[in-house]
Amino acid sequence: MSLPVIQNPGEPAAHFANAIAEDPLELMDEIEALKKERNAAILSHFYTDGDLQEIADFTGDSLKLARDAASITNPVIVFCGVHFMGESAKILSPEKTVLMPDLQAGCSLAESCQPEDLARFQNELRAAGRDIQTVAYINTSAAVKSLCDWIVTSGNAREIIDRVPADKEILFVPDQHLGRYLSEVTGRKMILWPGSCMVHEVFSIQDLLRAKRNNPQAIIMAHPECPRNILEHADVIGGTEKMRRHVAAIAEPTTFLVATEANMIHPLQKIAPQHTFIPVPGIMTSTGETCACNRCPHMARNTLQKVRDALRDMQPEIVWQPFFADAQEVLRRSLLEPAKR
Ligand code: 13P
Ligand code: SF4
């Protein structure tokens, strides 16, 4: 008798077939061998599972990984991250084969800004006489990037905002929280798109304050994708690479409350094992229960099995699209070219 296949609408059966656990150490050996055979490099974002960061040739934030993808010489890249990251890698390195463990790894921010909606809104603003430049967070589709003047990541946002001519109004898409934060620190007025990250949006201020009460000496670090009520309590606000550099620069053992995706604890612990890192909310201090709401379900689609399969089958692949050419110009200008002084 064959077992019933449980499948969500639109979900490929392979996603579930792969869920049968294989030995992680054997998978890592297989990946290592296939990587050599294909002359491939594995790039893993800090929000992927710790095992995927361990097998990676390059780990990093969105900015570093985009730059790594452009600079490495391997003809094949396996990008453990989400779709817009694989797309950016392909756009910056069209000649390389860019594989993703799971093409369905999306992003709530990218999803919240559809190209036709953005184009309509830009036209409305221009028709109303507004002289705008559009600044997009890298967490957008290539189709959206092709409509924008600048791309920022959490790692270069301030520097890019400084490059927008002072006489232009800024339309910032799609993350309203990052946009509001950038507007406050740069003093530039911005029109904000109403998008948000499903992971950073749900941090509970009560859990953060409880954790702080239980660890009064702790330093609170928060990603600028968090809403303002969380950022107001943060001692350090920064993207994932900034968090890593910050903890590495402190020698004295310190406790940090970390308000970002929970896998971020892995690179923090690795670079600064002298510290204690407590994910927020992580453990609900009220009940003692663990909470998985600080995990990104899209990043979680990346698994060792899928990396092995991608290297073995040379798919799924990010295939070049005609509109990538427009996105290429803005991505290169924003991420690879230094500002002219
Ligand atoms: P950074 O690693 O660039 O800070 O990005 C965070 C993020 O949400 C990626 O999806
Ligand atoms: Fe998108 Fe948020 Fe997941 Fe990052 S953590 S990929 S911004 S949904």
Side-chain angles (χ1 to χ4, degrees):
M1 193 185 76
S2 63
L3 291 170
V5 176
I6 304 162
Q7 193 177 338
N8 286 339
E11 188 90 21
H15 182 64
F16 293 93
N18 281 345
I20 298 159
E22 294 182 56
D23 179 356
L25 293 179
E26 278 175 25
L27 281 167
M28 286 181 187
D29 288 344
E30 273 188 78
I31 289 168
E32 200 51 41
L34 283 163
K35 212 171 69 171
K36 286 203 181 86
E37 197 180 305
R38 305 289 191 196
N39 191 10
I42 298 177
L43 277 60
S44 296
H45 188 270
F46 289 140
Y47 289 171
T48 56
D49 184 79
D51 280 349
L52 295 171
Q53 297 187 44
E54 287 305 310
I55 56 153
D57 301 284
F58 300 89
T59 55
D61 65 350
S62 310
L63 180 62
K64 178 177 175 292
L65 291 180
R67 287 177 172 162
D68 288 339
S71 65
I72 59 178
T73 53
N74 306 65
V76 178
I77 288 173
V78 182
F79 210 121
C80 300
V82 292
H83 194 268
F84 74 81
M85 296 180 177
E87 254 187 357
S88 299
K90 180 70 183 174
I91 291 167
L92 291 171
S93 304
E95 70 292 351
K96 291 173 192 152
T97 300
V98 178
L99 305 171
M100 295 212 63
D102 190 330
L103 280 182
Q104 308 240 3
C107 168
S108 65
L109 270 173
E111 199 54 39
S112 73
C113 187
Q114 295 299 319
E116 52 283 1
D117 298 332
L118 175 59
R120 197 178 318 114
F121 189 52
Q122 287 172 321
N123 287 338
E124 282 168 14
L125 288 171
R126 287 184 186 122
R130 313 275 289 264
D131 189 9
I132 54 158
Q133 284 206 346
T134 307
V135 178
Y137 193 25
I138 194 168
N139 299 38
T140 43
S141 66
V144 162
K145 288 185 177 81
S146 70
L147 298 170
C148 296
D149 300 285
W150 300 98
I151 306 298
V152 302
T153 72
S154 64
N156 75 347
R158 288 182 71 161
E159 174 200 320
I160 294 288
I161 301 292
D162 287 345
R163 291 167 72 180
V164 181
D167 58 340
K168 301 282 181 189
E169 260 196 280
I170 295 177
L171 166 61
F172 188 88
V173 301
D175 188 349
Q176 58 182 304
H177 302 305
L178 175 65
R180 187 176 300 110
Y181 168 71
L182 287 172
S183 176
E184 282 167 12
V185 295
T186 61
R188 292 290 296 261
K189 253 181 81 186
M190 293 183 192
I191 305 161
L192 301 175
W193 193 266
S196 57
C197 161
M198 62 192 287
V199 178
H200 292 87
E201 181 84 339
V202 298
F203 286 129
S204 131
I205 187 69
Q206 278 77 20
D207 287 325
L208 176 65
L209 295 180
R210 259 192 224 108
K212 178 71 180 173
R213 189 178 301 162
N214 291 345
N215 303 275
Q217 305 304 327
I219 293 178
I220 299 176
M221 291 199 300
H223 197 283
E225 287 176 20
C226 292
R228 181 190 260 152
N229 66 344
I230 296 286
L231 295 184
E232 277 169 356
H233 292 278
D235 303 296
V236 180
I237 299 173
T240 53
E241 185 57 39
K242 181 172 170 184
M243 288 183 185
R244 221 172 65 97
R245 280 203 309 267
H246 185 84
V247 302
I250 299 174
E252 183 76 12
T254 305
T255 299
F256 291 91
L257 300 176
V258 185
T260 194
E261 215 278 352
N263 280 311
M264 187 60 208
I265 302 299
H266 182 85
L268 295 178
Q269 239 150 19
K270 198 166 170 174
I271 199 165
Q274 69 276 25
H275 302 318
T276 303
F277 299 103
I278 302 174
V280 178
I283 311 277
M284 309 286 274
T285 43
S286 49
T287 60
E289 285 171 81
T290 52
C291 162
C293 46
N294 53 2
R295 298 272 163 150
C296 173
H298 304 291
M299 290 283 181
R301 282 179 170 273
N302 294 278
T303 63
L304 286 172
Q305 279 110 320
K306 290 183 198 171
V307 172
R308 185 270 320 272
D309 293 352
L311 278 166
R312 183 191 59 203
D313 305 337
M314 291 299 280
Q315 59 155 325
E317 181 185 354
I318 302 277
V319 179
W320 182 267
Q321 305 294 327
F323 56 87
F324 281 11
D326 289 328
Q328 187 181 55
E329 209 211 306
V330 62
L331 260 175
R332 284 201 172 143
R333 177 158 28 95
S334 306
L335 304 192
L336 304 184
E337 289 171 16
K340 293 185 189 82
R341 303 250 170 229

